């Protein structure tokens, strides 16, 4: 019994140490997700307004530009997948990878060749283990991205879009990331980054309706120095802002997922400690009971021996 009690106590100490680690990681993730959430809220309006500006410029011109022009028969697409550098975040990275797999299968089914661009060690490891070709990858900033990181990621994508497909260029750019909705809800999504869709939303369409006749009209623009020059200048800004916003949303989602995972681990550790404590108490009680039985048995044997010697 003594050996069994020592085993229970050793396991309790081990689980208690693990609980301290998971509790600390939960508190760190909770503090970081607040900062990441504020960054998402600050960057989203800029990315949205820049998209509106690019849409307005493209809608007011009739030139062909890689930013807005659909290729008749696209044959190559780039997919940017954003995962995490570290684990202990539940199914955060695996869910994003599954979304990328579904998108890749869809694009492949359409007859397109897919070039993979990966952010985060989890995605890089997944593709390396399956011996899949990765055009370019980046690691080390998934939980705290900066605009410089977004520019670094956007540069090869913009370059690939400007090339011919025969020279390694692409016709489309897609991005897969985890969209942050709340502390409890984060959803992996895939969005086409380029070419842009120039379809106006219902709210935007309502704004351009004349009050008197209800007729839709297109505004006229003058571009300096030229329409193509304006689009060339806006192209990198648009791609960088959208990638930066996606990186921030992914970072907030990662911290929220890690907080949930660590809270669940802490709760499970507490339950395990309670269970082990009950088993240790039962073992200790059994040990005490056995010792009492041995003492009583020894006393009875001694009494019987004394009674026999008196006779």
């Amino acid at each position: 019994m003594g050996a069994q009690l020592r085993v229970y106590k050793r396991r309790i100490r081990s689980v208690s140490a693990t609980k301290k680690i998971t509790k600390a990681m939960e508190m760190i993730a909770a503090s970081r997700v607040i900062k990441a959430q504020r960054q998402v809220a600050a960057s989203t309006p800029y990315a949205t307004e820049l998209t509106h500006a690019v849409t307005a410029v493209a809608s007011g011109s009739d030139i062909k530009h890689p930013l807005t022009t659909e290729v008749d028969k696209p044959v190559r697409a780039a997919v940017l997948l954003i995962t995490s550098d570290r684990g202990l975040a539940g199914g955060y990275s695996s869910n994003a990878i599954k979304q990328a797999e579904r998108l890749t299968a869809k694009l492949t089914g359409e007859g397109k060749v897919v070039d993979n661009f990966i952010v985060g060690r989890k995605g890089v490891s997944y593709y390396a283990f399956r011996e899949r070709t990765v055009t370019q990858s980046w690691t080390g900033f998934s939980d705290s991205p900066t605009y410089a990181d977004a520019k670094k990621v956007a540069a090869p994508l913009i370059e690939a879009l400007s090339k011919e497909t025969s020279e390694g260029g692409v016709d489309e750019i897609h991005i897969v990331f985890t969209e942050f909705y709340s502390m409890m809800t984060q959803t992996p999504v895939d969005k086409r980054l380029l070419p842009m869709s120039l379809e106006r939303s219902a709210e935007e369409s309502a704004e351009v309706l004349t009050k008197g006749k209800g007729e839709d009209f297109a505004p006229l623009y003058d571009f300096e120095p030229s329409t193509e020059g304006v689009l060339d200048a806006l192209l990198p800004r648009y791609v960088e802002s959208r990638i930066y916003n996606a990186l921030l949303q992914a970072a907030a989602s990662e911290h929220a997922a890690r907080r949930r995972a660590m809270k669940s681990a802490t709760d499970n550790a507490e339950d395990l400690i309670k269970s082990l404590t009950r088993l240790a108490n039962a073992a200790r009680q059994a040990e005490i009971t056995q010792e009492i039985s041995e003492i009583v048995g020894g006393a009875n044997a001694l009494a019987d021996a004394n009674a026999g010697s008196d006779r």
Side-chain angles (χ1 to χ4, degrees):
M1 286 296 178
Q4 187 177 12
L5 182 60
R6 285 195 296 272
V7 170
Y8 286 138
K9 288 183 177 180
R10 185 165 59 248
R11 291 188 62 188
I12 289 173
R13 288 195 297 269
S14 176
V15 175
S16 297
T18 303
K19 175 189 170 184
K20 291 180 181 178
I21 296 173
T22 57
K23 184 65 177 178
M25 294 184 67
E26 176 191 348
M27 295 175 66
I28 292 171
S31 64
R32 288 180 176 176
V33 73
I34 299 300
K35 179 181 177 182
Q37 192 174 2
R38 290 172 181 169
Q39 289 180 319
V40 171
S43 70
T44 299
Y46 174 78
T48 302
E49 290 304 319
L50 183 57
T51 302
H52 289 167
V54 174
T55 303
V57 174
S59 300
S61 65
D62 56 357
I63 67 168
K64 292 185 177 181
H65 192 274
L67 187 65
T68 58
T69 303
E70 295 275 358
V71 179
D72 292 335
K73 293 182 180 179
V75 297
R76 202 175 192 92
V79 174
L80 173 62
L81 168 62
I82 300 177
T83 61
S84 65
D85 287 318
R86 298 185 295 127
L88 301 178
Y92 165 76
S93 291
S94 61
N95 290 336
I97 290 172
K98 289 177 183 177
Q99 187 70 21
E101 293 280 18
R102 287 191 288 268
L103 175 61
T104 300
K106 175 185 174 183
L107 295 174
T108 304
E110 296 173 355
K112 301 172 185 175
V113 178
V114 176
D115 291 346
N116 297 303
F117 295 80
I118 313 294
V119 173
R121 290 189 178 91
K122 290 299 179 180
V124 173
S125 300
Y126 178 87
Y127 279 73
F129 180 77
R130 286 157 181 79
E131 298 182 351
R132 298 183 184 177
T133 303
V134 176
T135 305
Q136 197 161 344
S137 62
W138 303 267
T139 59
F141 55 83
S142 69
D143 58 347
S144 57
T146 63
Y147 195 81
D149 297 322
K151 292 180 67 175
K152 183 168 58 176
V153 174
L157 292 170
I158 297 172
E159 183 181 357
L161 189 69
S162 63
K163 292 181 180 178
E164 296 292 334
T165 53
S166 58
E167 300 175 355
V170 297
D171 299 317
E172 299 175 353
I173 297 177
H174 299 260
I175 183 170
V176 179
F177 65 99
T178 306
E179 198 165 19
F180 182 86
Y181 292 100
S182 67
M183 293 289 289
M184 298 302 297
T185 306
Q186 303 89 39
T187 306
V189 296
D190 63 86
K191 297 183 178 181
R192 194 180 74 172
L193 204 59
L194 292 173
M196 287 183 60
S197 176
L198 299 181
E199 295 180 0
R200 286 180 304 200
S201 64
E203 292 79 4
E204 292 171 330
S205 299
E207 290 177 0
V208 299
L209 290 177
T210 57
K211 295 181 180 179
K213 298 181 180 179
E215 296 176 352
D216 195 359
F217 64 91
L220 299 176
Y221 295 93
D222 289 329
F223 303 107
E224 294 291 344
S226 65
T227 304
E228 188 172 1
V230 173
L231 288 175
D232 286 338
L234 288 176
L235 173 59
R237 300 291 180 270
Y238 166 75
V239 177
E240 290 165 5
S241 67
R242 300 307 300 185
I243 290 178
Y244 181 51
N245 183 257
L247 288 172
L248 290 177
Q249 294 215 42
S253 299
E254 178 185 345
H255 292 312
R258 183 169 290 112
R259 177 183 174 276
R260 282 200 313 274
M262 291 300 97
K263 185 179 187 308
S264 177
T266 302
D267 294 341
N268 291 337
E270 290 179 353
D271 293 341
L272 185 56
I273 289 172
K274 291 179 182 178
S275 177
L276 290 173
T277 301
R278 284 194 296 267
L279 292 174
N281 291 337
R284 181 171 175 273
Q285 184 64 41
E287 184 178 352
I288 293 173
T289 302
Q290 183 177 355
E291 290 178 355
I292 293 174
S293 298
E294 290 174 353
I295 293 172
V296 172
N300 291 336
L302 183 61
D304 291 342
N306 291 334
S309 62
D310 290 343
R311 287 197 298 270

